[in-house]
Amino acid sequence: TAGFIQLKVESEKWNDLSFQLHDINGKLLQHKKLTGTETQIDMSSYDPATYFVQVIQGNKEVKTFKIIKQ
């Protein structure tokens, strides 16, 4: 990506979900609760590098995505 990531949840139970954005060293950069089935994550202010987006439900990790910022 160069700008935005579109996080799409195909479930009715999005109200208990949040995401965390981490850099390659594990530093937490963003943490937000999902407010609908589609959430836009702004990556434009970050340097080109590898990042990880974790989808969290309650205190449990549901899925992790590797993001390469150009």
Side-chain angles (χ1 to χ4, degrees):
T1 186
F4 291 89
I5 299 169
Q6 190 73 22
L7 183 62
K8 185 175 181 180
V9 178
E10 295 181 1
S11 172
E12 298 289 326
K13 298 180 181 179
W14 56 264
N15 56 348
D16 191 30
L17 293 174
S18 62
F19 77 86
Q20 294 181 351
L21 175 67
H22 297 268
D23 67 11
I24 193 75
N25 298 315
K27 180 180 176 185
L28 180 62
L29 303 173
Q30 287 187 48
H31 179 224
K32 294 184 181 174
K33 188 170 176 68
L34 300 187
T35 58
T37 57
E38 293 188 22
T39 301
Q40 198 170 59
I41 303 171
D42 185 3
M43 298 287 295
S44 62
S45 63
Y46 299 112
D47 293 332
T50 301
Y51 297 90
F52 296 94
V53 174
Q54 290 181 310
V55 178
I56 310 289
Q57 184 172 30
N59 292 324
K60 182 181 175 189
E61 177 184 330
V62 176
K63 181 89 174 170
T64 299
F65 299 95
K66 181 178 177 181
I67 307 298
I68 299 173
K69 169 78 164 55
Q70 299 178 350

